Amino acid sequence: MTALARGGTYPLRIDKLGVVVAALGLFALVFQSFLIFRANRIVPGEAVPAWDAMGAGGVALYAGLGVALLVLLLKTPLAVRLAVSSIALVALALAVGIGSSALIPEGDTYARVSPGSGVWIMVFAFALALTDALARLRLGPFTRVGILIAVALVLWGILASGLWDDLAVMREYQSRQSAFFAQLQIHLFLAFGAVTAAVVVGVPVGIVCYRIPRVRAGILGSLNVVQTVPSIALFGLLIAPMAWVGANIPGARELGIGGIGYAPAFLALFAYSLLPIVSNTVVGLDGVPRDANEAARGMGMTDSQRMTGVLLPLAFPVILTGIRIILVQNIGLAVIAGLIGGGGLGTFVFQGISQTAMPLVLLGAIPAVAMAFAAAIVLDAGVELSQGRQRARP
């Protein structure tokens, strides 16, 4: 098969990932629902095609998405793939809002409209193509963070415009707005606070393991044992000791420490965070070139001066990689805190599961996924920048 381009013919080649993207997208377009309408939040939903919700606009949307899938199926320039994937995702976001507003009768506060499985599959397919294009373009760290900020601004603009106000997940948010921000603050405290505490404790422990090799195996082995305990089991195991602390240590109960609540959740996340920090600190220090260490020793620097002025700065990219791992991990694990009354976004997830209310589950799950994704991009950029500064040093 050939195509005319600039007066010549060039073979049209199939992109391997494009085959997967096109297959997923075509399956979603043909066989899956676009929107799900419910008369209230608990009754079974009714699948609604895009053209029933949006009329001719729905037909135009599907035609445009079909063209986008064809472009992604073929080997096209990466900039084109990036633009096509981005436009398709924005079009889906706008269409879902327009369709939901069209389906809900005016003044009806009980009806619920959710994106159908076809929307979720198409979002996954185009996001996969978008991520692949970004990875193959090898963009710099500032560019990646800039794209993240641009995406956040687009989402903020859609939310501020009220376009999504009739979606079921937004209606759940509107009825729980104050509770949502309170639980979001708890979630941030659990995830970021546990990471901060793990860095404060883990880096010195890693330095000890580096300086005293004979204790390294014992410390890392003990932390490995903690890492193998299932998260739900560890959260549960900490209930009894935290209850004892709250009952017997003066002032502990006033601080909120007890058998359930944020205390066992925080301690569990802290325990899970220690191994990556300690091990990455050891690996980073072990990886410092011997010549750099000896040169610092030859300059008359003391052990502490060499540690703070040479070894730790050179090991910083590896330590930051460990921080990235545990921060993304903790943002997800903090959801489980909702099971033991620890609060956080998991509160909405488990309420939604118990009530069979998927929009309520999404109210907790989507922000957690978004935070983990953003944290990974920002810290990846930080790792790359720190490595670049080291390579730039004479």
Side-chain angles (χ1 to χ4, degrees):
M1 186 183 298
T2 62
L4 187 63
R6 295 186 180 179
T9 57
Y10 296 89
L12 291 178
R13 295 179 297 169
I14 302 297
D15 185 84
K16 293 180 179 178
L17 182 64
V19 173
V20 177
V21 171
L24 287 172
L26 186 62
F27 172 74
L29 286 173
V30 177
F31 299 106
Q32 300 299 301
S33 58
F34 183 73
L35 294 173
I36 301 294
F37 176 82
R38 293 179 174 86
N40 57 61
R41 68 197 301 263
I42 61 175
V43 299
E46 174 188 351
V48 180
W51 43 86
D52 283 356
M54 301 168 57
V59 177
L61 172 70
Y62 269 42
L65 293 175
V67 173
L69 292 173
L70 178 60
V71 172
L72 296 175
L73 175 65
L74 304 175
K75 277 193 174 296
T76 47
L78 293 177
V80 173
R81 303 177 69 83
L82 179 62
V84 167
S85 302
S86 302
I87 293 171
L89 288 171
V90 172
L92 282 169
L94 297 176
V96 165
I98 294 170
S100 63
S101 298
L103 287 176
I104 294 183
E106 186 176 355
D108 189 337
T109 60
Y110 297 101
R112 295 289 187 269
V113 176
S114 303
S117 56
V119 171
W120 293 114
I121 294 173
M122 283 188 283
V123 166
F124 173 76
F126 287 116
L128 182 63
L130 177 66
T131 305
D132 175 67
L134 288 172
R136 288 159 63 183
L137 282 170
R138 300 182 182 277
L139 301 174
F142 288 113
T143 305
R144 296 200 302 271
V145 173
I147 292 174
L148 175 65
I149 294 173
V151 171
L153 289 174
V154 169
L155 291 176
W156 178 85
I158 293 175
L159 290 170
S161 70
L163 184 64
W164 285 352
D165 283 357
D166 288 323
L167 285 174
V169 66
M170 291 304 300
R171 291 200 165 192
E172 298 292 348
Y173 164 76
Q174 290 158 9
S175 63
R176 295 170 172 82
Q177 187 169 350
S178 59
F180 175 82
F181 285 106
Q183 298 303 333
L184 178 61
Q185 290 177 4
I186 295 174
H187 199 98
L188 292 172
F189 166 74
L190 290 173
F192 287 84
V195 171
T196 302
V199 171
V200 171
V201 174
V203 171
V205 172
I207 293 173
V208 170
C209 292
Y210 169 74
R211 289 186 179 273
I212 312 174
R214 66 177 179 272
V215 306
R216 181 183 303 183
I219 292 176
L220 293 180
S222 300
L223 295 177
N224 267 310
V225 171
V226 174
Q227 203 75 15
T228 61
V229 179
S231 56
I232 296 180
L234 184 58
F235 277 63
L237 289 172
L238 290 172
I239 291 177
M242 287 296 98
W244 183 90
V245 170
N248 295 279
I249 303 299
R253 187 168 298 277
E254 286 72 17
L255 294 175
I257 298 175
I260 60 173
Y262 74 86
F266 185 92
L267 189 57
L269 294 174
F270 168 75
Y272 276 125
S273 303
L274 279 177
L275 178 62
I277 290 295
V278 174
S279 60
N280 278 47
T281 300
V282 174
V283 170
L285 293 173
D286 279 340
V288 173
R290 184 184 298 271
D291 292 343
N293 196 12
E294 293 302 322
R297 191 192 305 273
M299 294 171 62
M301 299 177 76
T302 64
D303 286 349
S304 60
Q305 287 174 333
R306 284 187 289 113
M307 179 59 67
T308 57
V310 177
L311 297 176
L312 283 177
L314 291 176
F316 179 72
V318 180
I319 297 174
L320 187 58
T321 300
I323 295 173
R324 174 202 178 278
I325 292 170
I326 63 172
L327 181 56
V328 174
Q329 168 187 284
N330 279 5
I331 290 173
L333 283 178
V335 172
I336 303 176
L339 277 176
I340 57 171
L345 296 172
T347 302
F348 303 115
V349 172
F350 295 112
Q351 285 179 359
I353 292 173
S354 64
Q355 299 173 21
T356 320
M358 185 55 62
L360 192 53
V361 174
L362 293 177
L363 181 62
I366 291 177
V369 172
M371 284 193 295
F373 186 73
I377 292 176
V378 172
L379 290 180
D380 275 340
V383 171
E384 189 171 330
L385 287 172
S386 63
Q387 291 172 338
R389 283 197 298 268
Q390 288 189 4
R391 287 192 293 267
R393 290 176 180 173

